[in-house]
Amino acid sequence: MSSTRTQTPAQRANSRRVAFATIIGTTIEWYDFFIYATAAGLIFAELFFKPAGAQIGLLLSFASVGISFLFRPLGAFLAGHYGDKLGRRAMLVITLILMGAATTLIGVLPTYATAGALAPILLLSLRILQGISAGGEWGGAVLMAVEHAPKDGRGRAGAFPQLGVPLGMLLASGVMALMTGVISPGEQFLAWGWRVPFLLSIVLIVVGFIVRRAVDESPIFEEIAAKKKQTKVPIVELFRKHWLLVIIAALVFAGNNAAGYMTTGGFLQAYTTNPNGPIGFERTDVLVAVSFAATMWFLTTLLSGYLADKIGRKRTYQIGFTAQALCVFPLFWLINSASLPMLYLAFALFAVGLGLAYGPQAALYSELFPASVRFSGVSISYALGAIIGGAFAPMIATALVQATGGTTAVSVYLLVMTLISLTAVTLLKDRSGIDLSIENQAEQEIGATVFDKRELPAGVESTLIKR
């Protein structure tokens, strides 16, 4: 099997196709997700929540970003259940279509000025559908990438679906910058230009559908299906045996997600473009800077995949969280200088920790959970971590700025979240290279945390990579 031995040329070619398919699919999914968050930070308060006033309207706009996270576990439960029973590929196609349909429909919604209270209700409904899709998509994408990869290349392979996040942000901020600065500047953007990025989703979905349909099913799932070893109710089995692991894994993601949503969730865009605030940059200037940040995030995420294979998932994470913790105060010191070059520097520094603490996640999560409940385990851990971390991070940050008049409290909040995640990853054991097949379930069931002191059953040899 490709995940446990040296790959043949045909298997290597298939792994490349899978990597391409996962990065294309996740880029499209996250473009859809971030287009909403960017619009929420820039114009949704005025278009959909104007009667609440400027400050409350912005809080409500960011709350609509966070509400979708509350529905991610539903998407994770559904996709995890059927992904462990019916396969990874089918879930990827379904979630892609659901996300694209919701995003496209947002592009044709009436605003509050024309539909009254119905407008924000419809907006929230479609945002919830985006949340369900995002909750189910990630687990399938990372398992397709990692389960197709050789054991010594899972960090690199798992980084590819992770790259879809900075690429999605790059695409979303780039399209928005094009609309605000070139195609529909000023009032035209508010009148109709904001709709175009949402409507573009329908084209991207067609591309993603074709690419994802062309890849083979995960070899691990094919083995499970051939031997009829699917778990009847994977979620019940997951929480009965591995509830503590799910909680720790969720906390690992929370700190990175909270930090990442300062940009992807629209907070920094709103803070730096507020005409009544201390910065007052033009929208297009900030969107171009966010595109630069996404490029840096892409590069550090790619680097972290290679590091995860070289020095291990856990150590790469610890380096990443340390870098992130060191940057949470300088981030705002530089931004508050109101200098555009300093904004670029702030984003570049922040991207180092974000990428290093994000790239190894696919490999780490995939190696934590047994084959029979792996889709459920990685999806639900990811969804819960997103709720704890990023769901309401932009709203919390906005409330802290409004309450204190500064950004120091936001830095403290991000530092606390980062330290929680650093502690959580330290409680896990590095399981780099463990045999992921259903036949190695005995080893997969034990030893994922530092608290688990159980020994391997007699006759079962460790398949971990020795360092």
Side-chain angles (χ1 to χ4, degrees):
M1 180 168 299
S2 63
S3 62
T4 59
R5 66 168 186 256
T6 303
Q7 290 185 308
T8 65
Q11 287 172 328
R12 285 196 295 271
N14 186 59
S15 292
R16 287 193 292 270
R17 286 197 303 273
V18 170
F20 177 72
T22 55
I23 197 171
I24 290 294
T26 52
T27 298
I28 292 169
E29 284 262 4
W30 289 110
Y31 164 84
D32 290 346
F33 209 72
F34 294 152
I35 277 291
Y36 185 100
T38 303
L42 295 178
I43 44 95
F44 275 179
E46 183 172 351
L47 293 177
F48 290 93
F49 304 101
K50 190 170 184 177
Q55 287 194 336
I56 301 300
L58 186 59
L59 285 174
L60 290 174
S61 186
F62 282 141
S64 74
V65 174
I67 283 172
S68 70
F69 284 77
L70 301 181
F71 289 86
R72 277 195 187 187
L74 176 59
F77 273 73
L78 292 172
H81 176 79
Y82 290 107
D84 280 327
K85 290 176 71 67
L86 303 178
R88 287 48 165 140
R89 190 176 67 170
M91 295 302 104
L92 287 180
V93 173
I94 291 170
T95 53
L96 185 72
I97 293 172
L98 179 62
M99 176 70 86
T103 305
T104 303
L105 287 173
I106 289 173
V108 298
L109 281 182
T111 63
Y112 192 94
T114 56
L118 179 63
I121 292 172
L122 291 173
L123 181 70
L124 290 175
S125 299
L126 292 173
R127 182 59 177 174
I128 287 169
L129 289 181
Q130 282 191 323
I132 292 172
S133 172
E137 195 274 344
W138 185 81
V142 301
L143 290 186
M144 285 290 283
V146 173
E147 291 181 344
H148 272 283
K151 65 185 297 183
D152 60 350
R154 290 180 194 149
R156 297 188 298 274
F160 278 98
Q162 302 297 83
L163 293 174
V165 175
L167 283 178
M169 187 171 76
L170 176 62
L171 186 59
S173 56
V175 170
M176 278 292 196
L178 187 64
M179 296 306 300
T180 61
V182 180
I183 298 175
S184 59
E187 291 302 313
Q188 293 183 69
F189 182 68
L190 283 172
W192 61 270
W194 69 271
R195 298 181 183 276
V196 175
F198 289 92
L199 295 174
L200 282 176
S201 179
I202 195 167
V203 178
L204 298 175
I205 294 306
V206 172
V207 175
F209 178 81
I210 293 171
V211 170
R212 281 194 165 173
R213 285 285 297 169
V215 300
D216 297 334
E217 177 59 90
S218 159
I220 303 295
F221 181 78
E222 287 183 335
E223 179 189 32
I224 293 171
K227 296 181 179 180
K228 301 187 184 303
K229 291 190 176 182
Q230 296 100 320
T231 303
K232 288 185 177 180
V233 188
I235 294 167
V236 173
E237 184 76 0
L238 174 71
F239 281 100
R240 186 173 69 85
K241 290 185 175 181
H242 307 288
W243 63 270
L244 180 59
L245 184 57
V246 169
I247 293 172
I248 295 175
L251 292 176
V252 169
F253 183 41
N256 181 266
N257 199 234
Y261 260 79
M262 291 300 100
T263 50
T264 61
F267 168 74
L268 288 177
Q269 291 92 319
Y271 176 70
T272 54
T273 60
N274 182 357
N276 300 316
I279 313 297
F281 288 137
E282 293 295 323
R283 288 174 182 160
T284 304
D285 289 338
V286 173
L287 288 169
V288 173
V290 170
S291 298
F292 168 76
T295 303
M296 296 299 297
W297 191 5
F298 173 90
L299 293 173
T300 54
T301 300
L302 185 62
L303 171 64
S304 70
Y306 285 87
L307 283 177
D309 284 331
K310 274 288 188 184
I311 64 175
R313 313 354 173 175
K314 182 173 177 176
R315 191 173 300 170
T316 304
Y317 255 117
Q318 290 170 329
I319 294 171
F321 282 133
T322 300
Q324 186 174 300
L326 291 174
C327 286
V328 294
F329 285 97
L331 171 71
F332 287 103
W333 294 339
L334 292 168
I335 289 173
N336 287 331
S337 70
S339 163
L340 199 57
M342 292 298 100
L343 179 67
Y344 278 77
L345 178 59
F347 283 169
L349 291 174
F350 203 47
V352 174
L354 283 179
L356 292 178
Y358 191 59
Q361 185 172 8
L364 178 83
Y365 272 28
S366 298
E367 292 169 336
L368 286 179
F369 295 98
S372 60
V373 296
R374 186 171 294 135
F375 200 136
S376 297
V378 300
S379 296
I380 292 169
S381 298
Y382 184 87
L384 293 178
I387 291 176
I388 299 168
F392 296 102
M395 188 179 73
I396 291 170
T398 301
L400 289 172
V401 170
Q402 291 179 2
T404 64
T407 54
T408 301
V410 181
S411 295
V412 172
Y413 161 65
L414 293 179
L415 178 61
V416 170
M417 294 300 299
T418 302
L419 293 178
I420 288 172
S421 289
L422 177 59
T423 302
V425 80
T426 303
L427 297 178
L428 296 175
K429 290 183 182 177
D430 196 309
R431 311 225 294 178
S432 297
I434 190 172
D435 183 351
L436 297 178
S437 74
I438 191 68
E439 295 302 321
N440 193 45
Q441 184 95 353
E443 183 182 14
Q444 296 162 14
E445 290 279 1
I446 64 174
T449 72
V450 296
F451 307 113
D452 192 343
K453 306 297 185 182
R454 290 175 293 176
E455 300 288 337
L456 286 173
V460 177
E461 295 185 5
S462 173
T463 61
L464 300 179
I465 292 176
K466 304 296 183 184
R467 287 192 170 86

